[in-house]
Amino acid sequence: MINFLLGVLLLAICSLQPVVCSRDVMGPHLDNPYQIPFLEANRNVSLSRTWQILGPFRSGTREAIWGADPLEYYNGFSSLSYSTNATFNSALAVNGAARWSLVRADVSSTSPGSIKASLNVSFPEVEWSFLQSVYGWSALQYQAWARGFLNVSQPNGQTIALYMSGLLEFLVDGKRHFGGNFYSYHRAPVILHLSQGQHTLDLRLTRDVRALGAADEPIIGVDVEAEERQMSLSIDQESLLVSDITQGRLGNGWASINVQNNLAEWVEIVSLSSPDASQYVLDMESLPLFPYQVRPLIFSISLGPPLKFEFSVDIIYKTDTEKGEVLGTLPFQVKLVEKSLSETQKITFLHSARIVSYAILRPPPLTSTCGFHEGRKPIPVMVALHGAGLQADAPQVREMLDAANFICSWKLLPTGVTPWSGDDWHIWGASDVQAAIAAIPEWIKNVNWTGPHATVDNWILTGHSNGGHGVWFFSTHYPDNIIAAAPVSGYSSIENYVPYSMWQESDPIVSSVLQRSRSNYKNELLLENAAGIPIFQQHGSNDDNVPVYHSRLMHELLGRTQWPSQYNELPGKGHWFEGIMTTSSLLEFYEERATSQYRPTTPLSFTISIPSSGAMGSVYGIYVDQLQSPDMNGKIEVTRDLGNGLWYLQTQNIHRFRLSVSTRVEVPVALVLDRMEYPFIVNPSLFEKTWYLKSPLNRWITSNDTEWKNIYQRHGNQMGAMDAILRSNGAFTISTCSADAEHIALQISRNLLQYFAADSLVSEECSSTAPFLDQTSKNRHGNFIVLAIGDDLPPSRNPAFPIRVCRGTLMLSKICNPLHSTYEAGIDSQRAQKYVSEYTYQKGLGALFLRPLENERLELIVWGADLHGLEQAARLVPTLTGVGQPDFLVLSDSCRWKGHGGLLAAGHFNKFWQISPSSYLYRGPGTYEKYSL
Ligand SMILES: *[C@@H]1O[C@H](CO)[C@@H](O)[C@H](O)[C@H]1NC(C)=O
Ligand SMILES: *[C@@H]1O[C@H](CO)[C@@H](O)[C@H](O)[C@H]1NC(C)=O
Ligand SMILES: *[C@@H]1O[C@H](CO)[C@@H](O)[C@H](O)[C@H]1NC(C)=O
Ligand SMILES: *[C@@H]1O[C@H](CO)[C@@H](O)[C@H](O)[C@H]1NC(C)=O
Ligand SMILES: *[C@@H]1O[C@H](CO)[C@@H](O)[C@H](O)[C@H]1NC(C)=O
Ligand SMILES: *[C@@H]1O[C@H](CO)[C@@H](O)[C@H](O)[C@H]1NC(C)=O
């Protein structure tokens, strides 16, 4: 009892704690940036030819994000020196001992002022093929370290941009830079100033079968490229995005180009100008760049006559030096391309996270049968999702539907924003597809297209490889938009692609939490949602990249849903060949589906499966807003009675749903929920305004109250596991509450740009409050990422939020009594019986968790008891897919080598932002348990 009371008391004290946040501590910097623009172009940076290697060690699929580096057990690679005698225990190495070795790199100068070292690391003495015969592709993944040196000869030092292709992390003179450039995007370098002399580069090498393939010997190839920077700003000319011109008009005015700040101080881009400004108008908002930050400069172009295809634009920027404001200009070239109406063309548009993205669009063929006559109805959109590592305007993608051009439909090849579509076409990629489709009507207006319009919610969806996975994802998560689906050489889920068997050990409850997070994309479990969609599967029987097993499996599983797929296995064919997306059987399928425009049949009964994250669109107009618990998937079994228009719904783990207008099915007259006596009469004019929800007494009721969409309840864009942070309406804001956290703010900003091409504003204000009040501002603010050390963390906007810091302890409270967790407003949570876990601050203690903000927004808290803990937590801010971050995590110092096995807590939040019963909370030394009522 005393413990219970103490817990209440402590909670009360915590919520009264004033929040003291450090702010604006951009003190003077070591480097002298003011000299940079005036430096002589004395290029003089060299890289080692000989690199020291230590490895191999085991590494699981996407596990390196968690730490899981065996050498951290020995204080980290940086603390070790080359020694031919030293051995380190390793489950992969011969005789169980990994040793040092040397490897020679190719060092070359790619362009003036730029030097590159390329090294291939391999361990041929390991019996890879035998390991593979036992453990599969997971045995071909491993990690190792490499050490080399970079010399700077200039007496004043040199500002350098480092592009580290194939790496996830590296250290310069012992200072860690996490994120790297795993997919070799070349988008966001690490920019730093190095003094004269020798600098140590420690590279963590990780082999990943999904990124590097499994066909050959498991070599790790990495490139270290150092580019000297003489100017204050650099332009990444390659990153320029503009629409093509058609019929003398720009398809869309949105444009962007990435700008890199080479200074150790803030730079603000204030405007754009150009000598040719009479022919076009450029519009932009001012863009502040954090020291060494890279951001996309977003602007819009309006062209006026006479048409000009090439022009130069000057970026006007200012730096604040001690001598006062200094203005500078930096030019770049814009070159527009003209396309005819019948060609594939590039269209730009705004992604919901306020960046400019593009897609390749091809209008319907200009034939009389396809609509160039009066009264032609809108026609469907064929959407084709590309495979991993490809740009949508690469010929392989751009031309992949050429042979299907005769089909009467719009053709759209979205990018998913990056060659890996950000997150394998999940949250980030799906937002891009939706924005690309919404850009078609804009294009129609902009270029004065007079042919048939597009039915933007009737998609014929196809995709190859990673894009084939995307087709499965859309068919299971957003089925109402799809009239036909053709996954080609696609994989079913990342876990089925490269098994997770080589991960570090952990208590099964911890692995189950991670597995649950990944299961949101386990399409095998959600196939029932595709009922009624005609699906045509195609896969080469000799595919050595995505094994044909994936397609056979999905075909088998679909066979059990009453809605079997058409399945076409191509004997002897591999992963890709020219024409793979337009084989005769695929063309036949596309044409038939485009002609009919609708799904051929609607099932009389169907089942809706909701992933435990609750992140999903509607199925036949049923949209589930909230699940009872995030610890299992939700289900609704629907049976329609055509005679009386009644729909019988049998639910499992559903808390709240609504009906939306669906063109796929006749609306129900009434709903019978869980065999209740009285059906609910359905009024279509109240669709989207009426919710069906479970009352505290576990009975279904209806409500038109919209007040529930508040800070206490998880809803809308907040659904998902930790990757829900990517569903941002507006650019990200990275807010630093502790002065020491600034390099982590820069790192997170860089990784968002590198892996998602996402934009973020770094803010030295420790608050997600201020910008929200400023709703009228042109700067729309999306989700926040808040960095804090120790007690600097401000409290949540939700007073009942279960994770808080309080004078030297991190406190998590988990509701024990499930009856109390069904209160509506959430305010009552203070009264519920809780189990409180307290973790006293210690070296390396870190935490990462989502918190709600108003308007369906989120903040992701990156917290550490000290800088080590903060750095650990920051590794897990979403970058690669398949990592499995749940809604919250508490990390111990041992995560550095144990990976997820070192977690102190992990789990999911329920609909009221409370910790779910299946979550893991460590109760052991250094933690205190309390119960409170
Ligand atoms: C490096 O500097 C030395 C002396 O300052 C000069 O001789 C040499 O050409 C420079 N090398 C490069 C690659 O710029
Ligand atoms: C860097 O400088 C050190 C010390 O001056 C020298 O021993 C080393 O060879 C140099 N390394 C390279 C890659 O130039
Ligand atoms: C390596 O081992 C040999 C033989 O055991 C020994 O003579 C030598 O001193 C050792 N070298 C180092 C650097 O420890
Ligand atoms: C690394 O391997 C690639 C392809 O296997 C080869 O082209 C390249 O020359 C190799 N580089 C080095 C430094 O060995
Ligand atoms: C659009 O095209 C139609 C038909 O070709 C033409 O009559 C009309 O003037 C055009 N509109 C504009 C704004 O150019
Ligand atoms: C909800 O329904 C009640 C009566 O059923 C009605 O008076 C009220 O205006 C409705 N509210 C909204 C927001 O539609």
Side-chain angles (χ1 to χ4, degrees), residues 46-48 149 151 198:
S46 51
L47 285 168
S48 308
F149 301 94
N151 281 10
Q198 176 173 294

Side-chain angles (χ1 to χ4, degrees), residues 235-291:
I235 291 281
D236 179 1
Q237 186 70 44
E238 293 285 297
S239 68
L240 177 70
L241 281 180
V242 285
S243 279
D244 288 344
I245 289 186
T246 307
Q247 313 212 94
R249 291 142 195 264
L250 206 50
N252 196 305
W254 287 111
S256 86
I257 192 162
N258 291 353
V259 186
Q260 309 177 344
N261 180 4
N262 297 323
L263 302 183
E265 62 173 303
W266 283 93
V267 170
E268 187 179 353
I269 297 175
V270 283
S271 63
L272 296 176
S273 85
S274 165
D276 312 311
S278 58
Q279 269 109 36
Y280 55 80
V281 183
L282 300 168
D283 191 21
M284 63 161 279
E285 290 165 13
S286 84
L287 187 79
L289 294 153
F290 188 73

Side-chain angles (χ1 to χ4, degrees), residues 544-556:
D544 61 359
N545 185 327
V546 177
V548 67
Y549 169 77
H550 289 270
S551 286
R552 291 177 184 167
L553 172 70
M554 295 303 250
H555 182 56
E556 179 189 331

Side-chain angles (χ1 to χ4, degrees), residues 795-858:
S796 172
R797 307 288 282 282
N798 171 347
F801 193 76
I803 303 180
R804 59 191 76 202
V805 296
C806 184
R807 290 179 305 168
T809 49
L810 173 73
M811 301 174 52
L812 276 71
S813 49
K814 176 168 153 186
I815 292 185
C816 313
N817 182 348
L819 260 188
H820 284 274
S821 66
T822 50
Y823 52 86
E824 259 311 279
I827 305 166
D828 277 355
S829 76
Q830 304 273 357
R831 266 184 255 143
Q833 188 187 349
K834 284 183 209 160
Y835 165 80
V836 181
S837 237
E838 295 186 9
Y839 305 88
T840 47
Y841 291 0
Q842 50 191 284
K843 177 179 176 277
L845 179 71
L848 188 69
F849 49 95
L850 295 172
R851 287 198 317 202
L853 291 176
E854 291 83 354
N855 282 7
E856 290 183 39
R857 296 176 316 144
L858 288 168

Side-chain angles (χ1 to χ4, degrees), residues 247 341 366 371-376 410 443-445 447-453:
Q247 313 212 94
L341 276 181
L366 303 161
F372 281 83
H373 56 78
E374 289 296 311
R376 183 63 163 95
W410 290 79
W443 180 89
I444 287 176
K445 193 173 66 180
V447 309
N448 197 16
W449 164 261
T450 52
H453 282 233

Side-chain angles (χ1 to χ4, degrees), residues 879-898:
T879 47
L880 309 183
T881 52
V883 176
Q885 300 95 327
D887 292 337
F888 70 89
L889 292 166
V890 179
L891 303 109
S892 76
D893 193 43
S894 68
C895 290
R896 289 189 290 123
W897 63 93
K898 288 186 190 162

